[in-house]
Every structure is written in structure tokens, then in C-alpha cells.
Amino acid sequence: MGYLDKIFGKKEEQIQTYEDFWNWFQANEMTFYKSVRKGDNIEKKFFNKLSPKLGELKEGFFYLTGMYDDNVAELIFTADGVLKNIVFVEELVSMAPMIPNWKFTALKPATSMESNSIKMEDFTFSTENLSFYSIEYKNYPDEIDIVIVYNDYKGKHISTITSGVYIFLDNYLGELNAVTTIDNLTIISKAQAEKELIPIAKLKDYLIWREKEFIEKYNGVRYNTENDNYSGFEAILDNGLPLLAIINTTLLDWDSKASHPWILSVTVQFDGNNKGMPDDSTHELLDRFEDEILSELKDFEGYLNIGRQTADSKRIIYFACKDFRKPSKVLHELEKNYSGILNLTHDIYKDKYWQSFERFRSN
């Protein structure tokens, strides 16, 4: 067998754990380092090897590299703005070994943009042509709704401009803050502005102030759903199929929703009957799966089961969460455990006042 390995090459074992990845990286780091330091065909010698190994570990890892200083190469791992992947990027870097001449960073860090700019196609994004203002809502006092004003706004190039603004914010605020501190973001031209403009260089301080105020207000808030009331809802979809929902209506009237601003949405596709509903065995499997989520995400720990809806061969389960990291890990494991049994996907998004559930509230 050893002779055949020499002829055909020994197949590398698949990366399954963070330790596997870092063992592989250490075995190849000298080649990678030389490529980064010399700027020598980095795509072929480094990225084309790194990318598939990260993919074996988990989808959703992205990266940037360059020289941190004259002797140290930096490898930045990023979730590319996808909230549910942030915890895995953080965990990967937390497990990194100490390797001479290497610096590993979780998520794009904040950088000074006063003397830097972002260029995309024919557009430049800098402190010179970006400003902002905030929109306040009486009924949603803790909502952070930011309007970014771009002086060189051109409607037909909105896709490029949007990408440029988001990349600027990633660099200016840092990836984690850019994703987590702003609830809503709108990009407009200077002519569309309805309030006095504030220099973009002041946005970071503004967000720090708002976030501090918010954390102090809701620190320590907990909720127990044991005695809550649940209501059933029925509706008809546009395609004529029924929608059935069971929702914790007591929870929807809670006055501290903003303390649990992260919404976990778990979608299960199944083979439904002619009304898009599960048969008995599928219904039992779906309930068992939901019970597993509930056993991991407990209300008194900050994970509130809002309810579920079933329609058109699809069940969606909703949780309001105090943080987004644990739900990301729990659902990743469940998706692996139920692979081939249930067709699962999940998403986590910020909805500080649970406005996406207004349809279930009585008028």
C-alpha cells in the first residue's frame, strides 16, 4: 500500500474539527507564508488550497490575507456579514495555535477611514462623500435606523453603491459592529435627505452611545413562558392552501421585546398532503424535532419560542433570542443530526421589536 501511495499520492483525511484544520495549516504554513510575503501567486499557492479545507469544515468561511508588518502575515477569517456564521469564525480563530510569523484574526477589524477610502468600479467611498442621520420612532425608541447619504449617488448603479457602502462600514466599524449595532440601513442621495447631515466619522461614537443606552436598559431581563397563553390562527394562502399557526400571544404583548432582538427562523420542508399538511408520522417527527430545539434553547436562558406556522408543505418555527451565537450552533448540529431525515434550513435576523410578527397581533 505504501508503494501505491507513492505512485498515486496519499489521500488527505477530510477536515472535521478545528483541530484537524489547524494541524493541516501548520503542516503547510511555510509555503503559505512565503506566498503571502512575496506576493507570489497567492491564489494558486494559498487560496486554492485553503478554500476547500475550510469548506470541509463548514460552509460560510471567507478570508483575507496580507502582511501585518514586515515579518508577520495576517489571515483574517470573515463571515462576510452572515450572522449565523459569526460564531464559527470566532471559534475557529480561538483554537488557532501560536505559529511564528502569523497573526490570525476573527472578523474584519475596525480601521481608521479618515485617510483611507474604498473603491469599486468608478465609485469611491470615503469620509469626504458619506454622511448620515438617524430616524427616531416614538413606538420603537431603541430602534437604530440609520440613513447613509452618498454624495455621488446614481440610481442605476445602486447595487455597486450599496456594496461599496457596506464594505466601507465593515472597515470603519468592524465586521461584528457593522452587522449587530444597526437595525435598519437605507442609502440615499444628498437631494433625498430629509434631516441635517452628520459627518460619517461621527457614526461610530453615535452607535456606541446608543448601544450603551440599550444594554443598560435591558441588562438582566428574563422571561418564563410556562403560564403563557397560546392562540391558534388560520388563513388561506394566495394559492388556496390553508395556513395554520400556533403563537404565544401573551409573549407578543410583552413590553420588553427589545431585550431579545434576534429572531431565529427554522424552516422544515416536508412532503405534504393535497392541503400542504403533514401526515401523522411526519407530524410526529416534526414535533419531536421541535422538542429537541426547545430542550436546547430554554426560555429562562434567553430563548423564547414565539410559535410556529404550517402551510404549503413547510413548517416554520420561531424563537426570539437574547443572543445569536448559541442558536447558530444548536441549529448547525441539528441540521447535521437530521441530515437525510428532515429538509432543514435556518436563518437569524435582527428584529428588535418583533415587527415581523405583527400579523399575529390582535388589532
Side-chain angles (χ1 to χ4, degrees):
M1 182 63 71
Y3 177 71
L4 293 176
D5 287 343
K6 291 179 182 178
I7 295 176
F8 297 107
K10 189 173 182 179
K11 185 177 180 181
E12 291 185 344
E13 292 186 6
Q14 184 169 353
I15 303 295
Q16 295 183 325
T17 66
Y18 298 133
E19 185 179 10
D20 290 343
F21 172 80
W22 288 117
N23 287 338
W24 168 83
F25 190 93
Q26 281 187 292
N28 296 275
E29 62 90 10
M30 282 301 296
T31 301
F32 299 157
Y33 176 76
K34 290 176 182 177
S35 175
V36 176
R37 184 170 186 179
K38 294 178 180 179
D40 179 24
N41 207 350
I42 295 177
E43 187 77 28
K44 180 179 179 181
K45 294 184 178 180
F46 188 13
F47 291 168
N48 288 351
K49 293 179 172 60
L50 178 65
S51 185
K53 290 301 178 182
L54 287 171
E56 290 175 17
L57 187 60
K58 185 186 181 299
E59 293 298 322
F61 288 109
F62 300 89
Y63 46 83
L64 306 164
T65 194
M67 294 303 294
Y68 181 76
D69 59 29
D70 290 342
N71 299 307
V72 176
E74 182 174 24
L75 180 57
I76 300 173
F77 294 93
T78 166
D80 202 30
V82 179
L83 197 68
K84 65 182 180 180
N85 289 332
I86 284 177
V87 64
F88 301 103
V89 171
E90 293 172 332
E91 286 185 338
L92 175 64
V93 172
S94 73
M95 294 290 289
M98 295 292 294
I99 303 177
N101 300 321
W102 279 99
K103 174 181 172 60
F104 303 106
T105 301
L107 309 173
K108 287 177 275 187
T111 57
S112 173
M113 297 303 293
E114 278 73 12
S115 58
N116 295 314
S117 61
I118 301 297
K119 293 186 177 181
M120 289 191 68
E121 298 181 11
D122 296 327
F123 296 92
T124 300
F125 303 87
S126 71
T127 55
E128 299 297 319
N129 58 15
L130 289 167
S131 52
F132 81 98
Y133 61 85
S134 175
I135 299 176
E136 287 80 36
Y137 300 95
K138 181 180 178 181
N139 293 332
Y140 309 118
D142 297 300
E143 191 89 350
I144 300 178
D145 191 338
I146 300 296
V147 178
I148 299 290
V149 178
Y150 179 54
N151 292 356
D152 303 318
Y153 185 96
K154 294 180 177 64
K156 63 181 179 180
H157 297 287
I158 186 60
S159 178
T160 301
I161 291 170
T162 299
S163 296
V165 169
Y166 274 91
I167 293 173
F168 178 92
L169 292 176
D170 267 1
N171 283 272
Y172 171 54
L173 301 174
E175 183 177 357
L176 182 62
N177 285 331
V179 172
T180 60
T181 58
I182 299 174
D183 296 311
N184 300 302
L185 183 70
T186 308
I187 303 166
I188 64 172
S189 68
K190 202 169 184 177
Q192 294 173 300
E194 297 179 351
K195 297 180 68 175
E196 181 179 350
L197 303 185
I198 305 168
I200 199 72
K202 295 185 178 182
L203 177 60
K204 189 180 297 184
D205 288 339
Y206 173 80
L207 293 175
I208 290 171
W209 168 63
R210 290 294 303 272
E211 189 74 3
K212 182 175 183 291
E213 194 177 53
F214 171 73
I215 290 173
E216 290 177 349
K217 185 175 180 180
Y218 293 104
N219 186 35
V221 174
R222 288 289 185 270
Y223 194 95
N224 189 314
T225 59
E226 185 177 357
N227 298 315
D228 286 357
N229 294 317
Y230 291 78
S231 299
F233 295 83
E234 295 186 21
I236 301 298
L237 302 177
D238 291 340
N239 61 10
L241 294 179
L243 180 149
L244 303 179
I246 299 175
I247 301 295
N248 184 334
T249 46
T250 302
L251 195 56
L252 292 187
D253 289 330
W254 188 34
D255 62 1
S256 294
K257 295 185 184 73
S259 65
H260 292 62
W262 307 104
I263 303 300
L264 168 66
S265 171
V266 185
T267 300
V268 187
Q269 298 273 3
F270 57 85
D271 292 327
N273 59 25
N274 59 359
K275 292 186 177 181
M277 292 294 152
D279 59 25
D280 290 343
S281 61
T282 302
H283 195 285
E284 185 178 317
L285 178 60
L286 292 171
D287 284 350
R288 188 164 71 246
F289 167 69
E290 189 169 346
D291 286 341
E292 283 200 49
I293 304 178
L294 288 166
S295 70
E296 294 287 343
L297 301 178
K298 299 178 175 64
D299 55 4
F300 59 86
E301 293 179 349
Y303 310 101
L304 309 178
N305 181 211
I306 294 175
R308 72 189 190 203
Q309 68 177 51
T310 307
D312 203 6
S313 302
K314 182 190 304 179
R315 172 166 291 180
I316 307 176
I317 306 162
Y318 301 106
F319 281 78
C321 306
K322 206 166 176 59
D323 79 280
F324 58 86
R325 290 177 174 85
K326 183 175 180 178
S328 300
K329 294 184 65 176
V330 167
L331 266 298
H332 177 59
E333 285 302 312
L334 286 173
E335 285 174 355
K336 288 195 297 184
N337 295 343
Y338 277 87
S339 177
I341 302 173
L342 286 176
N343 182 6
L344 301 176
T345 58
H346 76 280
D347 190 24
I348 300 176
Y349 59 93
K350 197 173 189 184
D351 183 2
K352 198 174 279 180
Y353 286 93
W354 308 2
Q355 295 178 65
S356 50
F357 300 103
E358 284 298 313
R359 65 189 186 278
F360 295 117
R361 285 172 58 84
S362 56
N363 295 326

PDB file of all heavy atoms in Angstrom, residues 221-253:
ATOM      1  N   VAL A 221     -32.831  41.238  31.911  1.00  0.00           N
ATOM      2  CA  VAL A 221     -34.234  40.919  31.650  1.00  0.00           C
ATOM      3  C   VAL A 221     -34.371  39.430  31.302  1.00  0.00           C
ATOM      4  O   VAL A 221     -33.653  38.909  30.465  1.00  0.00           O
ATOM      5  CB  VAL A 221     -34.788  41.779  30.502  1.00  0.00           C
ATOM      6  CG1 VAL A 221     -36.197  41.332  30.145  1.00  0.00           C
ATOM      7  CG2 VAL A 221     -34.798  43.241  30.914  1.00  0.00           C
ATOM      8  N   ARG A 222     -35.284  38.751  31.978  1.00  0.00           N
ATOM      9  CA  ARG A 222     -35.550  37.333  31.703  1.00  0.00           C
ATOM     10  C   ARG A 222     -37.051  37.122  31.550  1.00  0.00           C
ATOM     11  O   ARG A 222     -37.857  37.960  31.948  1.00  0.00           O
ATOM     12  CB  ARG A 222     -35.011  36.462  32.839  1.00  0.00           C
ATOM     13  CG  ARG A 222     -33.499  36.354  32.888  1.00  0.00           C
ATOM     14  CD  ARG A 222     -32.988  35.508  31.717  1.00  0.00           C
ATOM     15  NE  ARG A 222     -31.544  35.299  31.803  1.00  0.00           N
ATOM     16  CZ  ARG A 222     -30.649  36.101  31.268  1.00  0.00           C
ATOM     17  NH1 ARG A 222     -31.046  37.205  30.649  1.00  0.00           N
ATOM     18  NH2 ARG A 222     -29.358  35.823  31.350  1.00  0.00           N
ATOM     19  N   TYR A 223     -37.430  35.967  30.999  1.00  0.00           N
ATOM     20  CA  TYR A 223     -38.845  35.704  30.780  1.00  0.00           C
ATOM     21  C   TYR A 223     -39.115  34.203  30.932  1.00  0.00           C
ATOM     22  O   TYR A 223     -38.312  33.382  30.487  1.00  0.00           O
ATOM     23  CB  TYR A 223     -39.246  36.154  29.372  1.00  0.00           C
ATOM     24  CG  TYR A 223     -40.745  36.251  29.150  1.00  0.00           C
ATOM     25  CD1 TYR A 223     -41.417  37.448  29.290  1.00  0.00           C
ATOM     26  CD2 TYR A 223     -41.480  35.118  28.810  1.00  0.00           C
ATOM     27  CE1 TYR A 223     -42.790  37.542  29.085  1.00  0.00           C
ATOM     28  CE2 TYR A 223     -42.846  35.200  28.614  1.00  0.00           C
ATOM     29  CZ  TYR A 223     -43.496  36.406  28.753  1.00  0.00           C
ATOM     30  OH  TYR A 223     -44.850  36.483  28.565  1.00  0.00           O
ATOM     31  N   ASN A 224     -40.233  33.867  31.570  1.00  0.00           N
ATOM     32  CA  ASN A 224     -40.648  32.479  31.715  1.00  0.00           C
ATOM     33  C   ASN A 224     -41.985  32.308  31.011  1.00  0.00           C
ATOM     34  O   ASN A 224     -42.949  33.023  31.306  1.00  0.00           O
ATOM     35  CB  ASN A 224     -40.781  32.124  33.211  1.00  0.00           C
ATOM     36  CG  ASN A 224     -40.998  30.641  33.434  1.00  0.00           C
ATOM     37  OD1 ASN A 224     -41.805  30.015  32.763  1.00  0.00           O
ATOM     38  ND2 ASN A 224     -40.283  30.082  34.404  1.00  0.00           N
ATOM     39  N   THR A 225     -42.055  31.364  30.081  1.00  0.00           N
ATOM     40  CA  THR A 225     -43.262  31.201  29.252  1.00  0.00           C
ATOM     41  C   THR A 225     -44.233  30.151  29.789  1.00  0.00           C
ATOM     42  O   THR A 225     -45.236  29.851  29.149  1.00  0.00           O
ATOM     43  CB  THR A 225     -42.859  30.811  27.819  1.00  0.00           C
ATOM     44  OG1 THR A 225     -42.114  29.575  27.852  1.00  0.00           O
ATOM     45  CG2 THR A 225     -41.997  31.890  27.175  1.00  0.00           C
ATOM     46  N   GLU A 226     -43.944  29.615  30.972  1.00  0.00           N
ATOM     47  CA  GLU A 226     -44.713  28.472  31.476  1.00  0.00           C
ATOM     48  C   GLU A 226     -46.211  28.747  31.549  1.00  0.00           C
ATOM     49  O   GLU A 226     -47.039  27.878  31.235  1.00  0.00           O
ATOM     50  CB  GLU A 226     -44.180  28.074  32.856  1.00  0.00           C
ATOM     51  CG  GLU A 226     -44.834  26.822  33.411  1.00  0.00           C
ATOM     52  CD  GLU A 226     -44.231  26.402  34.740  1.00  0.00           C
ATOM     53  OE1 GLU A 226     -43.262  27.055  35.190  1.00  0.00           O
ATOM     54  OE2 GLU A 226     -44.751  25.432  35.330  1.00  0.00           O
ATOM     55  N   ASN A 227     -46.603  29.937  31.950  1.00  0.00           N
ATOM     56  CA  ASN A 227     -48.028  30.238  32.138  1.00  0.00           C
ATOM     57  C   ASN A 227     -48.609  31.096  31.010  1.00  0.00           C
ATOM     58  O   ASN A 227     -49.691  31.684  31.171  1.00  0.00           O
ATOM     59  CB  ASN A 227     -48.223  30.951  33.488  1.00  0.00           C
ATOM     60  CG  ASN A 227     -47.816  30.085  34.663  1.00  0.00           C
ATOM     61  OD1 ASN A 227     -48.155  28.902  34.715  1.00  0.00           O
ATOM     62  ND2 ASN A 227     -47.070  30.663  35.606  1.00  0.00           N
ATOM     63  N   ASP A 228     -47.930  31.166  29.904  1.00  0.00           N
ATOM     64  CA  ASP A 228     -48.408  31.984  28.784  1.00  0.00           C
ATOM     65  C   ASP A 228     -49.578  31.330  28.058  1.00  0.00           C
ATOM     66  O   ASP A 228     -49.790  30.109  28.119  1.00  0.00           O
ATOM     67  CB  ASP A 228     -47.272  32.222  27.779  1.00  0.00           C
ATOM     68  CG  ASP A 228     -46.249  33.221  28.289  1.00  0.00           C
ATOM     69  OD1 ASP A 228     -46.454  33.769  29.390  1.00  0.00           O
ATOM     70  OD2 ASP A 228     -45.247  33.452  27.595  1.00  0.00           O
ATOM     71  N   ASN A 229     -50.334  32.157  27.348  1.00  0.00           N
ATOM     72  CA  ASN A 229     -51.449  31.675  26.537  1.00  0.00           C
ATOM     73  C   ASN A 229     -51.031  31.565  25.076  1.00  0.00           C
ATOM     74  O   ASN A 229     -50.339  32.442  24.548  1.00  0.00           O
ATOM     75  CB  ASN A 229     -52.640  32.643  26.639  1.00  0.00           C
ATOM     76  CG  ASN A 229     -53.230  32.667  28.035  1.00  0.00           C
ATOM     77  OD1 ASN A 229     -53.402  31.633  28.664  1.00  0.00           O
ATOM     78  ND2 ASN A 229     -53.560  33.866  28.515  1.00  0.00           N
ATOM     79  N   TYR A 230     -51.468  30.494  24.441  1.00  0.00           N
ATOM     80  CA  TYR A 230     -51.176  30.266  23.027  1.00  0.00           C
ATOM     81  C   TYR A 230     -52.477  30.291  22.240  1.00  0.00           C
ATOM     82  O   TYR A 230     -53.503  29.764  22.698  1.00  0.00           O
ATOM     83  CB  TYR A 230     -50.469  28.921  22.821  1.00  0.00           C
ATOM     84  CG  TYR A 230     -49.066  28.889  23.377  1.00  0.00           C
ATOM     85  CD1 TYR A 230     -48.852  28.738  24.744  1.00  0.00           C
ATOM     86  CD2 TYR A 230     -47.959  29.033  22.548  1.00  0.00           C
ATOM     87  CE1 TYR A 230     -47.569  28.722  25.277  1.00  0.00           C
ATOM     88  CE2 TYR A 230     -46.673  29.018  23.062  1.00  0.00           C
ATOM     89  CZ  TYR A 230     -46.491  28.859  24.415  1.00  0.00           C
ATOM     90  OH  TYR A 230     -45.217  28.849  24.927  1.00  0.00           O
ATOM     91  N   SER A 231     -52.436  30.902  21.069  1.00  0.00           N
ATOM     92  CA  SER A 231     -53.641  31.007  20.236  1.00  0.00           C
ATOM     93  C   SER A 231     -53.402  30.364  18.885  1.00  0.00           C
ATOM     94  O   SER A 231     -52.282  30.394  18.350  1.00  0.00           O
ATOM     95  CB  SER A 231     -54.025  32.479  20.036  1.00  0.00           C
ATOM     96  OG  SER A 231     -54.310  33.096  21.270  1.00  0.00           O
ATOM     97  N   GLY A 232     -54.464  29.788  18.344  1.00  0.00           N
ATOM     98  CA  GLY A 232     -54.404  29.209  17.004  1.00  0.00           C
ATOM     99  C   GLY A 232     -54.883  30.214  15.972  1.00  0.00           C
ATOM    100  O   GLY A 232     -55.815  30.999  16.227  1.00  0.00           O
ATOM    101  N   PHE A 233     -54.226  30.220  14.812  1.00  0.00           N
ATOM    102  CA  PHE A 233     -54.585  31.115  13.717  1.00  0.00           C
ATOM    103  C   PHE A 233     -54.768  30.291  12.437  1.00  0.00           C
ATOM    104  O   PHE A 233     -54.051  29.317  12.209  1.00  0.00           O
ATOM    105  CB  PHE A 233     -53.492  32.161  13.477  1.00  0.00           C
ATOM    106  CG  PHE A 233     -53.297  33.129  14.611  1.00  0.00           C
ATOM    107  CD1 PHE A 233     -52.511  32.794  15.713  1.00  0.00           C
ATOM    108  CD2 PHE A 233     -53.905  34.378  14.590  1.00  0.00           C
ATOM    109  CE1 PHE A 233     -52.325  33.682  16.754  1.00  0.00           C
ATOM    110  CE2 PHE A 233     -53.726  35.275  15.638  1.00  0.00           C
ATOM    111  CZ  PHE A 233     -52.936  34.919  16.720  1.00  0.00           C
ATOM    112  N   GLU A 234     -55.746  30.712  11.643  1.00  0.00           N
ATOM    113  CA  GLU A 234     -55.954  30.070  10.341  1.00  0.00           C
ATOM    114  C   GLU A 234     -56.034  31.143   9.266  1.00  0.00           C
ATOM    115  O   GLU A 234     -56.569  32.222   9.493  1.00  0.00           O
ATOM    116  CB  GLU A 234     -57.244  29.242  10.339  1.00  0.00           C
ATOM    117  CG  GLU A 234     -57.218  28.048  11.285  1.00  0.00           C
ATOM    118  CD  GLU A 234     -58.466  27.180  11.148  1.00  0.00           C
ATOM    119  OE1 GLU A 234     -59.128  27.262  10.089  1.00  0.00           O
ATOM    120  OE2 GLU A 234     -58.776  26.444  12.100  1.00  0.00           O
ATOM    121  N   ALA A 235     -55.484  30.828   8.107  1.00  0.00           N
ATOM    122  CA  ALA A 235     -55.545  31.747   6.965  1.00  0.00           C
ATOM    123  C   ALA A 235     -55.489  30.929   5.689  1.00  0.00           C
ATOM    124  O   ALA A 235     -55.219  29.726   5.711  1.00  0.00           O
ATOM    125  CB  ALA A 235     -54.386  32.747   7.021  1.00  0.00           C
ATOM    126  N   ILE A 236     -55.760  31.587   4.587  1.00  0.00           N
ATOM    127  CA  ILE A 236     -55.683  30.942   3.274  1.00  0.00           C
ATOM    128  C   ILE A 236     -54.621  31.655   2.451  1.00  0.00           C
ATOM    129  O   ILE A 236     -54.638  32.888   2.315  1.00  0.00           O
ATOM    130  CB  ILE A 236     -57.037  30.987   2.541  1.00  0.00           C
ATOM    131  CG1 ILE A 236     -58.129  30.281   3.361  1.00  0.00           C
ATOM    132  CG2 ILE A 236     -56.904  30.333   1.169  1.00  0.00           C
ATOM    133  CD1 ILE A 236     -57.881  28.800   3.600  1.00  0.00           C
ATOM    134  N   LEU A 237     -53.672  30.890   1.920  1.00  0.00           N
ATOM    135  CA  LEU A 237     -52.626  31.460   1.080  1.00  0.00           C
ATOM    136  C   LEU A 237     -53.184  31.858  -0.278  1.00  0.00           C
ATOM    137  O   LEU A 237     -54.302  31.470  -0.650  1.00  0.00           O
ATOM    138  CB  LEU A 237     -51.486  30.444   0.896  1.00  0.00           C
ATOM    139  CG  LEU A 237     -50.795  29.931   2.166  1.00  0.00           C
ATOM    140  CD1 LEU A 237     -49.736  28.888   1.797  1.00  0.00           C
ATOM    141  CD2 LEU A 237     -50.168  31.071   2.949  1.00  0.00           C
ATOM    142  N   ASP A 238     -52.390  32.598  -1.038  1.00  0.00           N
ATOM    143  CA  ASP A 238     -52.812  33.012  -2.376  1.00  0.00           C
ATOM    144  C   ASP A 238     -53.073  31.824  -3.288  1.00  0.00           C
ATOM    145  O   ASP A 238     -53.875  31.915  -4.227  1.00  0.00           O
ATOM    146  CB  ASP A 238     -51.744  33.920  -3.004  1.00  0.00           C
ATOM    147  CG  ASP A 238     -51.659  35.273  -2.320  1.00  0.00           C
ATOM    148  OD1 ASP A 238     -52.640  35.653  -1.643  1.00  0.00           O
ATOM    149  OD2 ASP A 238     -50.622  35.948  -2.453  1.00  0.00           O
ATOM    150  N   ASN A 239     -52.390  30.707  -3.018  1.00  0.00           N
ATOM    151  CA  ASN A 239     -52.594  29.516  -3.855  1.00  0.00           C
ATOM    152  C   ASN A 239     -53.768  28.660  -3.391  1.00  0.00           C
ATOM    153  O   ASN A 239     -54.012  27.570  -3.920  1.00  0.00           O
ATOM    154  CB  ASN A 239     -51.320  28.667  -3.906  1.00  0.00           C
ATOM    155  CG  ASN A 239     -50.886  28.163  -2.526  1.00  0.00           C
ATOM    156  OD1 ASN A 239     -51.627  28.278  -1.552  1.00  0.00           O
ATOM    157  ND2 ASN A 239     -49.684  27.604  -2.452  1.00  0.00           N
ATOM    158  N   GLY A 240     -54.501  29.150  -2.379  1.00  0.00           N
ATOM    159  CA  GLY A 240     -55.690  28.450  -1.914  1.00  0.00           C
ATOM    160  C   GLY A 240     -55.450  27.446  -0.813  1.00  0.00           C
ATOM    161  O   GLY A 240     -56.406  26.869  -0.273  1.00  0.00           O
ATOM    162  N   LEU A 241     -54.204  27.214  -0.438  1.00  0.00           N
ATOM    163  CA  LEU A 241     -53.899  26.244   0.605  1.00  0.00           C
ATOM    164  C   LEU A 241     -54.022  26.894   1.985  1.00  0.00           C
ATOM    165  O   LEU A 241     -53.799  28.090   2.147  1.00  0.00           O
ATOM    166  CB  LEU A 241     -52.487  25.691   0.421  1.00  0.00           C
ATOM    167  CG  LEU A 241     -52.251  24.838  -0.830  1.00  0.00           C
ATOM    168  CD1 LEU A 241     -50.792  24.382  -0.905  1.00  0.00           C
ATOM    169  CD2 LEU A 241     -53.173  23.612  -0.828  1.00  0.00           C
ATOM    170  N   PRO A 242     -54.358  26.089   3.007  1.00  0.00           N
ATOM    171  CA  PRO A 242     -54.533  26.646   4.352  1.00  0.00           C
ATOM    172  C   PRO A 242     -53.199  26.894   5.060  1.00  0.00           C
ATOM    173  O   PRO A 242     -52.204  26.210   4.799  1.00  0.00           O
ATOM    174  CB  PRO A 242     -55.331  25.558   5.071  1.00  0.00           C
ATOM    175  CG  PRO A 242     -54.909  24.292   4.398  1.00  0.00           C
ATOM    176  CD  PRO A 242     -54.714  24.650   2.948  1.00  0.00           C
ATOM    177  N   LEU A 243     -53.206  27.855   5.955  1.00  0.00           N
ATOM    178  CA  LEU A 243     -52.072  28.112   6.847  1.00  0.00           C
ATOM    179  C   LEU A 243     -52.587  27.993   8.272  1.00  0.00           C
ATOM    180  O   LEU A 243     -53.597  28.605   8.629  1.00  0.00           O
ATOM    181  CB  LEU A 243     -51.486  29.504   6.622  1.00  0.00           C
ATOM    182  CG  LEU A 243     -50.287  29.907   7.498  1.00  0.00           C
ATOM    183  CD1 LEU A 243     -49.363  30.867   6.745  1.00  0.00           C
ATOM    184  CD2 LEU A 243     -50.739  30.566   8.816  1.00  0.00           C
ATOM    185  N   LEU A 244     -51.904  27.191   9.077  1.00  0.00           N
ATOM    186  CA  LEU A 244     -52.255  27.019  10.480  1.00  0.00           C
ATOM    187  C   LEU A 244     -51.073  27.468  11.325  1.00  0.00           C
ATOM    188  O   LEU A 244     -49.921  27.127  11.040  1.00  0.00           O
ATOM    189  CB  LEU A 244     -52.572  25.547  10.780  1.00  0.00           C
ATOM    190  CG  LEU A 244     -53.678  24.895   9.948  1.00  0.00           C
ATOM    191  CD1 LEU A 244     -53.850  23.434  10.344  1.00  0.00           C
ATOM    192  CD2 LEU A 244     -54.992  25.648  10.104  1.00  0.00           C
ATOM    193  N   ALA A 245     -51.343  28.228  12.368  1.00  0.00           N
ATOM    194  CA  ALA A 245     -50.275  28.718  13.229  1.00  0.00           C
ATOM    195  C   ALA A 245     -50.687  28.612  14.686  1.00  0.00           C
ATOM    196  O   ALA A 245     -51.868  28.737  15.030  1.00  0.00           O
ATOM    197  CB  ALA A 245     -49.938  30.168  12.894  1.00  0.00           C
ATOM    198  N   ILE A 246     -49.709  28.347  15.548  1.00  0.00           N
ATOM    199  CA  ILE A 246     -49.896  28.373  16.999  1.00  0.00           C
ATOM    200  C   ILE A 246     -48.878  29.361  17.542  1.00  0.00           C
ATOM    201  O   ILE A 246     -47.664  29.166  17.396  1.00  0.00           O
ATOM    202  CB  ILE A 246     -49.691  26.984  17.628  1.00  0.00           C
ATOM    203  CG1 ILE A 246     -50.701  25.986  17.057  1.00  0.00           C
ATOM    204  CG2 ILE A 246     -49.828  27.065  19.149  1.00  0.00           C
ATOM    205  CD1 ILE A 246     -50.485  24.568  17.536  1.00  0.00           C
ATOM    206  N   ILE A 247     -49.352  30.449  18.164  1.00  0.00           N
ATOM    207  CA  ILE A 247     -48.487  31.561  18.553  1.00  0.00           C
ATOM    208  C   ILE A 247     -48.691  31.903  20.033  1.00  0.00           C
ATOM    209  O   ILE A 247     -49.827  31.914  20.535  1.00  0.00           O
ATOM    210  CB  ILE A 247     -48.789  32.810  17.689  1.00  0.00           C
ATOM    211  CG1 ILE A 247     -48.566  32.502  16.200  1.00  0.00           C
ATOM    212  CG2 ILE A 247     -47.919  33.984  18.131  1.00  0.00           C
ATOM    213  CD1 ILE A 247     -47.140  32.185  15.811  1.00  0.00           C
ATOM    214  N   ASN A 248     -47.604  32.203  20.714  1.00  0.00           N
ATOM    215  CA  ASN A 248     -47.655  32.659  22.100  1.00  0.00           C
ATOM    216  C   ASN A 248     -48.085  34.127  22.107  1.00  0.00           C
ATOM    217  O   ASN A 248     -47.275  35.036  21.996  1.00  0.00           O
ATOM    218  CB  ASN A 248     -46.275  32.496  22.758  1.00  0.00           C
ATOM    219  CG  ASN A 248     -46.276  32.864  24.233  1.00  0.00           C
ATOM    220  OD1 ASN A 248     -47.091  33.648  24.695  1.00  0.00           O
ATOM    221  ND2 ASN A 248     -45.337  32.295  24.973  1.00  0.00           N
ATOM    222  N   THR A 249     -49.363  34.344  22.239  1.00  0.00           N
ATOM    223  CA  THR A 249     -49.909  35.704  22.156  1.00  0.00           C
ATOM    224  C   THR A 249     -49.608  36.519  23.414  1.00  0.00           C
ATOM    225  O   THR A 249     -49.553  37.751  23.359  1.00  0.00           O
ATOM    226  CB  THR A 249     -51.423  35.664  21.916  1.00  0.00           C
ATOM    227  OG1 THR A 249     -52.030  34.716  22.803  1.00  0.00           O
ATOM    228  CG2 THR A 249     -51.723  35.251  20.487  1.00  0.00           C
ATOM    229  N   THR A 250     -49.426  35.858  24.539  1.00  0.00           N
ATOM    230  CA  THR A 250     -49.010  36.581  25.748  1.00  0.00           C
ATOM    231  C   THR A 250     -47.648  37.223  25.523  1.00  0.00           C
ATOM    232  O   THR A 250     -47.412  38.383  25.873  1.00  0.00           O
ATOM    233  CB  THR A 250     -48.937  35.629  26.956  1.00  0.00           C
ATOM    234  OG1 THR A 250     -50.207  35.018  27.163  1.00  0.00           O
ATOM    235  CG2 THR A 250     -48.520  36.383  28.217  1.00  0.00           C
ATOM    236  N   LEU A 251     -46.751  36.477  24.909  1.00  0.00           N
ATOM    237  CA  LEU A 251     -45.389  36.954  24.646  1.00  0.00           C
ATOM    238  C   LEU A 251     -45.392  38.138  23.683  1.00  0.00           C
ATOM    239  O   LEU A 251     -44.596  39.070  23.823  1.00  0.00           O
ATOM    240  CB  LEU A 251     -44.555  35.809  24.069  1.00  0.00           C
ATOM    241  CG  LEU A 251     -43.040  35.964  24.056  1.00  0.00           C
ATOM    242  CD1 LEU A 251     -42.494  36.253  25.436  1.00  0.00           C
ATOM    243  CD2 LEU A 251     -42.403  34.695  23.481  1.00  0.00           C
ATOM    244  N   LEU A 252     -46.312  38.127  22.708  1.00  0.00           N
ATOM    245  CA  LEU A 252     -46.364  39.225  21.739  1.00  0.00           C
ATOM    246  C   LEU A 252     -46.776  40.548  22.378  1.00  0.00           C
ATOM    247  O   LEU A 252     -46.526  41.609  21.807  1.00  0.00           O
ATOM    248  CB  LEU A 252     -47.316  38.876  20.591  1.00  0.00           C
ATOM    249  CG  LEU A 252     -46.888  37.748  19.653  1.00  0.00           C
ATOM    250  CD1 LEU A 252     -47.848  37.647  18.477  1.00  0.00           C
ATOM    251  CD2 LEU A 252     -45.463  37.929  19.154  1.00  0.00           C
ATOM    252  N   ASP A 253     -47.394  40.485  23.559  1.00  0.00           N
ATOM    253  CA  ASP A 253     -47.786  41.711  24.267  1.00  0.00           C
ATOM    254  C   ASP A 253     -46.739  42.166  25.279  1.00  0.00           C
ATOM    255  O   ASP A 253     -46.939  43.163  25.979  1.00  0.00           O
ATOM    256  CB  ASP A 253     -49.134  41.498  24.987  1.00  0.00           C
ATOM    257  CG  ASP A 253     -50.297  41.402  24.010  1.00  0.00           C
ATOM    258  OD1 ASP A 253     -50.208  42.028  22.933  1.00  0.00           O
ATOM    259  OD2 ASP A 253     -51.270  40.689  24.315  1.00  0.00           O
TER     260      ASP A 253
END
